[in-house]
Amino acid sequence: MSLYTIGQLARRTGLRARTIRFWSDSGVLPPARRSDGGYRLYDAEAVARLDLVRTLRDLGLGLDAVQQILQRRSTLREVAQAHVEALDAEIRTLRVQRAVLRVLARRDTTTEEMTLMNALARLSAQERQKIIDEFVDGVFAGVLDEDAALVAGWMRDLPSELPDDPTPEQVDAWVELAELVACADFRQTVRRMVLSGDNRLEFGLDLRPLVLEHAGGALERGIAPESAAAVGVLERVVPADLPAAETAALISWLAMVAEPRVERYWQLLSVLGGRAPAPPAVPAFHWLRTALTVHRT
């Protein structure tokens, strides 16, 4: 039976002698026996074992995992699956880090902003959802209205994971969203909207396309809401015979819902979900409110 010293194994396999010696010291490559001079000697089985160890190490498995396979405490399939999962997690982390670095490379960022951005981007899906849930739970606390519950569900609609390869825009969006929901003034604003009890969800969904088409169109054409030309535009959105009390209520409602930060919240959720955010509607709603105030009160 042929026996090989560490030096002979190194020449036979192309591995460095100190690598083979380290693996042998670690117990994954025990010698067949020792020579009279005390040198470790390895047989043909050790050569085959060495090939397996090298292959597993090339695949990124640690020596503990290799030892488990060699001692049959774990199957190769089990160890490979665990390693795949670990690699997937590491790849996601690296992609997020790359996206954060792209953001940092394209703008001036303070050390504090960089630290915050990196920390927020690396949060787990569960940790990100907890931030949003705490915000929504706080602003909707004690409100049992059916429409409010529906809106609360929409506001929780955060993707379960950042994309495997997040864009700089998505990293920016997550950081901005986390900062937004942490803002006490924003929380108070949304809370006031919720407690008003005047959600008008269905009305708002029906009104939005009219406002975008007509009030938004007037903005694009440069028609001032105070001008005489605005009267005809206003009548296409709000009936001219709307009673004064309802007009006043509508003006108050528009003042409440035309909140840029709330609209930004929805836009950020869209970006994180990989969807194009809806075009800004707040300027058109402001135009409508001003036109109503000038021409109907």
Side-chain angles (χ1 to χ4, degrees), residues 64 67-75 78:
D64 288 342
Q67 189 74 280
Q68 288 180 9
I69 294 171
L70 295 175
Q71 295 177 357
R72 302 190 183 279
R73 287 186 282 123
S74 298
T75 66
E78 291 170 343

Side-chain angles (χ1 to χ4, degrees), residues 52-178:
L52 175 59
V53 172
R54 176 166 59 178
T55 299
L56 294 174
R57 293 290 288 152
D58 286 346
L59 290 171
L61 271 67
L63 285 178
D64 288 342
V66 172
Q67 189 74 280
Q68 288 180 9
I69 294 171
L70 295 175
Q71 295 177 357
R72 302 190 183 279
R73 287 186 282 123
S74 298
T75 66
L76 178 58
R77 179 178 180 179
E78 291 170 343
V79 173
Q81 181 60 39
H83 194 58
V84 166
E85 293 172 0
L87 284 175
D88 285 343
E90 184 178 356
I91 289 170
R92 283 194 296 271
T93 298
L94 289 172
R95 285 174 170 166
V96 169
Q97 289 175 342
R98 181 179 63 181
V100 169
L101 288 171
R102 282 175 176 167
V103 173
L104 297 177
R106 70 180 185 179
R107 72 183 192 192
D108 293 330
T109 307
T110 65
T111 302
E112 291 77 11
E113 289 173 333
M114 179 185 67
T115 302
L116 174 64
M117 184 183 303
N118 189 45
L120 290 173
R122 290 167 66 97
L123 290 177
S124 69
Q126 184 177 7
E127 290 167 331
R128 287 195 298 272
Q129 190 64 59
K130 183 180 179 182
I131 290 174
I132 301 303
D133 285 344
E134 287 179 349
F135 163 71
V136 176
D137 289 344
V139 299
F140 284 89
V143 179
L144 303 178
D145 177 80
E146 184 176 337
D147 281 351
L150 184 59
V151 174
W154 290 344
M155 295 190 82
R156 297 182 197 273
D157 189 20
L158 190 70
S160 59
E161 290 282 357
L162 279 174
D164 283 346
D165 192 6
T167 64
E169 290 74 22
Q170 286 171 320
V171 174
D172 265 341
W174 169 239
V175 173
E176 185 179 345
L177 182 65

